[in-house]
């Protein structure tokens, strides 16, 4: 069976769009209608007119698409594709924390890498691509609680000068990059610029020439006069960069113990599973309406503030 052909056929029959994150395997990136970062994917999900969204990413991304598209069918290739960062902040723990500190009347900013339950408790959502812009819009007299990524939160504090309290969560993939591993990469490739995702630790961000979201990495590498780049994020990003900027060299950022970093959740999706989910229209993302509607408010606020 030619999976590429069969998926294209099914896509037409189901009136579906295939959205894929930059960390997906090359074959999925090649067949997707849109490949991008969390922000671009949310905008695309809000814009699509199709009946079905096949979301190739991790669970919270499919959930985000469902939150803004209650009447559409949102299917994902693997229901078990989770996110260690989203798991580091449960809705139950966040609710208990907000209750314990109710006198602070926090303005809760949640990185999009969180569950629908956490989104429902938030005032506004952000992605790594718009976090600085979103936080800058929050009234100065409000105490901000930023969840769940402490590294992204710390980077936003550096960029905006805003004081924020940070939830102590992190991404198990991005914290594998170390000061030593990036220093080693710099020595091996002295001509290359180092581009890191803001989910990396402070020590790694300090060594980078540029810190930005996966989508902004494309523009940075395109516009930079440099010819080579060490890419300090999940390795799926290299495919997108090599495809869109064929004339330049992209080197995977090494971790403390590996030549490159891989998110095993992102890599749970395969072409076979994509075919199966379009064929059977399952696994489907389903949310209780009350929860979905509560999560939609901060998400729509983010989309509005991102314009
Ligand atoms: P982006 O916001 O750059 O898409 O990153 C999402 C993510 O999961 C990073 O680990
Ligand atoms: Fe989550 Fe990290 Fe994987 Fe991104 S790379 S989906 S933050 S576990």
């Amino acid at each position: 069976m030619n999976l590429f052909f069969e998926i294209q056929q099914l896509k037409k029959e189901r009136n579906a769009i295939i959205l894929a994150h930059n960390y997906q395997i090359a074959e999925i990136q090649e067949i997707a209608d849109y490949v991008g970062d969390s922000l671009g994917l949310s905008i695309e999900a809000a814009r699509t007119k199709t009946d079905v969204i096949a979301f190739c990413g991790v669970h919270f991304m499919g959930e985000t698409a469902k939150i803004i598209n209650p009447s559409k069918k949102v299917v994902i290739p693997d229901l078990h594709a989770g996110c260690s960062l989203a798991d580091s902040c449960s809705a139950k723990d966040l609710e208990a924390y907000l209750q314990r500190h109710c006198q602070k009347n926090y303005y809760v900013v949640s990185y999009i890498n969180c569950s629908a339950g956490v989104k429902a408790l938030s005032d506004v959502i952000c992605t790594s691509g718009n976090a600085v812009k979103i936080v800058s819009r929050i009234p100065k007299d409000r105490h901000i609680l930023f969840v769940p990524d402490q590294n992204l939160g710390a980077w936003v504090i550096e960029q905006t000068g805003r004081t924020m309290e940070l939830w102590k969560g992190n991404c198990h993939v991005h914290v594998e990059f170390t000061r030593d591993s990036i220093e080693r990469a710099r020595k091996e490739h002295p001509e290359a610029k180092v581009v890191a995702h803001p989910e990396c630790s402070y020590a790694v961000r300090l060594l980078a020439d540029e810190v930005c979201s996966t989508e902004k990495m494309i523009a940075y590498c395109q516009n930079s006069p440099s010819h080579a780049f060490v890419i300090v994020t999940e390795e799926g990003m290299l495919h997108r960069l090599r495809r869109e900027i064929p004339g330049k060299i992209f080197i995977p950022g090494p971790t403390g113990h590996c030549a490159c970093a891989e998110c095993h959740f992102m890599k749970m999706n395969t072409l076979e599973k994509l075919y199966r989910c379009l064929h059977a229209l399952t696994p489907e993302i389903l949310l209780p309406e009350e929860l979905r509607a509560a999560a939609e408010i901060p998400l729509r606020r983010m989309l509005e503030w991102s314009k």
Side-chain angles (χ1 to χ4, degrees):
M1 174 161 76
N2 180 337
L3 274 176
F4 252 73
F5 176 76
E6 296 295 331
I7 291 171
Q8 299 285 16
Q9 286 297 108
L10 269 176
K11 209 181 71 172
K12 275 191 218 136
E13 280 168 35
R14 303 284 190 233
N15 186 24
I17 187 172
I18 301 174
L19 303 180
H21 188 266
N22 288 324
Y23 297 163
Q24 290 294 284
I25 56 168
E27 294 87 338
I28 289 185
Q29 291 196 31
E30 292 301 323
I31 206 163
D33 296 293
Y34 177 86
V35 184
D37 70 350
S38 311
L39 178 60
L41 287 163
S42 308
I43 294 170
E44 216 50 43
R47 191 184 279 162
T48 186
K49 300 270 185 291
T50 59
D51 299 321
V52 174
I53 299 174
F55 208 116
C56 302
V58 291
H59 189 269
F60 77 80
M61 295 179 173
E63 229 177 32
T64 305
K66 183 67 183 177
I67 292 166
I68 24 186
N69 287 289
S71 61
K72 292 190 201 304
K73 212 175 243 303
V74 178
V75 290
I76 58 174
D78 193 318
L79 206 54
H80 302 292
C83 168
S84 65
L85 176 56
D87 287 346
S88 65
C89 179
S90 71
K92 197 166 154 262
D93 288 349
L94 178 58
E95 195 169 24
Y97 186 88
L98 292 174
Q99 261 165 22
R100 266 199 316 278
H101 302 276
C102 58
Q103 76 288 356
K104 293 210 175 178
N105 188 25
Y106 281 120
Y107 197 97
V108 181
V109 183
S110 294
Y111 185 30
I112 199 160
N113 296 38
C114 64
S115 66
V118 167
K119 287 186 177 74
L121 294 169
S122 309
D123 292 291
V124 70
I125 307 300
C126 72
T127 71
S128 58
N130 65 13
V132 169
K133 192 172 182 178
I134 297 292
V135 167
S136 303
R137 286 201 50 166
I138 297 166
K140 296 274 180 292
D141 58 342
R142 296 296 304 269
H143 284 295
I144 301 176
L145 175 65
F146 189 94
V147 310
D149 191 71
Q150 59 182 333
N151 289 311
L152 175 68
W155 177 71
V156 173
I157 291 173
E158 290 158 26
Q159 303 297 305
T160 59
R162 270 309 284 264
T163 309
M164 303 197 294
E165 282 178 47
L166 307 177
W167 195 266
K168 300 229 170 338
N170 56 47
C171 157
H172 76 291
V173 178
H174 286 85
V175 295
E176 288 296 325
F177 298 108
T178 63
R179 195 180 69 176
D180 286 358
S181 71
I182 303 306
E183 271 175 349
R184 208 175 344 112
R186 270 219 179 276
K187 275 201 197 104
E188 281 168 23
H189 308 281
E191 75 295 356
K193 293 273 184 227
V194 173
V195 188
H197 195 276
E199 285 176 22
C200 294
S201 69
Y202 178 64
V204 168
R205 295 199 309 275
L206 263 188
L207 289 173
D209 295 293
E210 177 69 5
V211 177
C212 59
S213 74
T214 54
E215 199 60 34
K216 289 186 182 167
M217 286 181 184
I218 304 275
Y220 175 81
C221 297
Q222 236 154 13
N223 299 332
S224 165
S226 291
H227 186 63
F229 304 86
V230 175
I231 301 300
V232 189
T233 192
E234 209 273 349
E235 63 85 43
M237 191 61 211
L238 295 159
H239 178 73
R240 174 101 200 270
L241 285 159
R242 286 171 182 153
R243 191 172 80 160
E244 292 194 21
I245 318 173
K248 295 192 178 184
I249 295 163
F250 298 99
I251 303 145
T255 72
H257 47 79
C258 265
C260 70
E262 204 174 89
C263 173
H264 68 277
F265 295 118
M266 285 282 183
K267 298 308 194 257
M268 286 169 97
N269 297 330
T270 61
L271 272 190
E272 286 79 7
K273 289 181 190 173
L274 173 58
Y275 169 79
R276 269 188 262 138
C277 88
L278 271 171
H279 183 71
L281 292 181
T282 180
E284 184 183 358
I285 303 275
L286 294 167
L287 289 167
E289 177 51 23
E290 206 180 319
L291 175 70
R292 188 210 63 77
E296 186 175 12
I297 297 167
L299 202 49
R300 291 266 172 216
R301 186 166 292 136
M302 173 191 88
L303 292 171
E304 188 52 40
W305 288 7
S306 302
K307 280 179 187 161

